Amino acid sequence: MNRLAIFDCDGTLVDSQASICLAMEHCFIGQKLEPPGRESIRRIVGLSLVEAVAQLLPEADDAFHRLLAEDYKRAYFALRSEGKIEDEPLYDGIAETIAALDDAGWLLGVATGKSDRGLLRVLEQHGLRQRFVTLQTADRHPSKPHPSMVTAAIAEAGAAPDTTAMIGDTSFDMAMACAAGVHAVGVAWGYHTRHDLLEAGAAHVADHARALAPHLEGL
């Protein structure tokens, strides 16, 4: 059976917190609302956009959450076109780790709260698109921690839950992995704490990208 390593994107492959925080602040200000603190924004990275906004503004209704989500998209693309958002850098060691897993016969996937367009832009920017056999985004799935993205990735890759690992930096990733019955591996360089990851079901937490491979042994 194929072995499949599914990566989250924001906070796991790339450090996108600056761009996400800036766009979220702009969309709140545009509605004459006090922007959330950046720690609060980092805590919701990984959720699909409407669900993320709902976490930040729970007192509003669904219609307003959807309005803010659209405002966020417009703010993000406006800021990028104005050169106020820079490219999102890969974390140290990620490119080498992905290449090593690919060369070792692992199939690779992504499960992210980003849109299709946002994910493809990041992967193409860093020359990684060809490494991944399955890409699952918020455009086609319920928000994490629903297991839909993981189960779809397994089906596309011809893998099985017991030969699949979900690698991510948030409790949403770990809860999604547990819901799908796959191996949950947290990473310590992202937006949730080691305690958050372990509490949500992580079997291991890697301190650096180069430490990921040993946590996948035995699958």
Side-chain angles (χ1 to χ4, degrees):
M1 184 63 69
N2 291 326
R3 296 181 299 168
L4 174 63
I6 306 170
F7 287 83
D8 169 54
C9 185
D10 298 312
T12 301
L13 296 179
V14 297
D15 187 0
S16 50
Q17 63 175 308
S19 57
I20 292 171
C21 288
L22 187 60
M24 192 66 75
E25 288 164 353
H26 272 67
C27 83
F28 270 69
I29 290 169
Q31 290 292 339
K32 297 181 171 53
L33 296 169
E34 181 71 23
R38 291 206 162 189
E39 177 59 26
S40 296
I41 297 173
R42 284 190 290 269
R43 294 287 302 174
I44 54 80
V45 173
L47 294 174
S48 298
L49 193 48
V50 174
E51 286 75 12
V53 170
Q55 291 271 341
L56 294 171
L57 199 66
E59 65 273 21
D61 61 19
D62 181 67
F64 194 70
H65 293 152
R66 293 181 183 280
L67 174 65
L68 270 182
E70 292 303 315
D71 286 351
Y72 173 92
K73 293 176 188 177
R74 285 190 289 270
Y76 186 94
F77 290 116
L79 290 164
R80 176 168 288 281
S81 67
E82 294 165 6
K84 295 177 181 177
I85 286 180
E86 298 180 357
D87 289 334
E88 298 161 346
L90 289 175
Y91 285 103
D92 184 43
I94 283 292
E96 297 82 358
T97 297
I98 287 172
L101 289 172
D102 193 8
D103 293 345
W106 281 84
L107 298 181
L108 304 177
V110 178
T112 177
K114 279 188 180 297
S115 65
D116 288 330
R117 180 165 69 169
L119 176 59
L120 287 173
R121 179 184 53 77
V122 167
L123 296 181
E124 289 168 0
Q125 169 199 335
H126 293 295
L128 294 175
R129 173 65 186 90
Q130 74 279 6
R131 295 286 189 183
F132 294 92
V133 302
T134 179
L135 303 176
Q136 308 300 327
T137 76
D139 285 346
R140 285 166 284 112
H141 295 282
S143 179
K144 299 175 183 179
H146 193 284
S148 176
M149 284 194 269
V150 172
T151 55
I154 290 170
E156 284 193 8
D162 60 356
T163 60
T164 297
M166 177 66 213
I167 300 161
D169 70 301
T170 71
S171 57
F172 314 127
D173 298 311
M174 301 301 96
M176 179 172 66
C178 293
V182 305
H183 195 63
V185 178
V187 303
W189 54 83
Y191 307 144
H192 285 192
T193 68
R194 178 184 297 271
H195 174 76
D196 292 332
L197 297 169
L198 292 170
E199 192 172 59
H204 307 283
V205 178
D207 290 314
H208 190 278
R210 287 187 289 270
L212 276 172
H215 295 313
L216 302 179
E217 292 176 1
L219 270 69

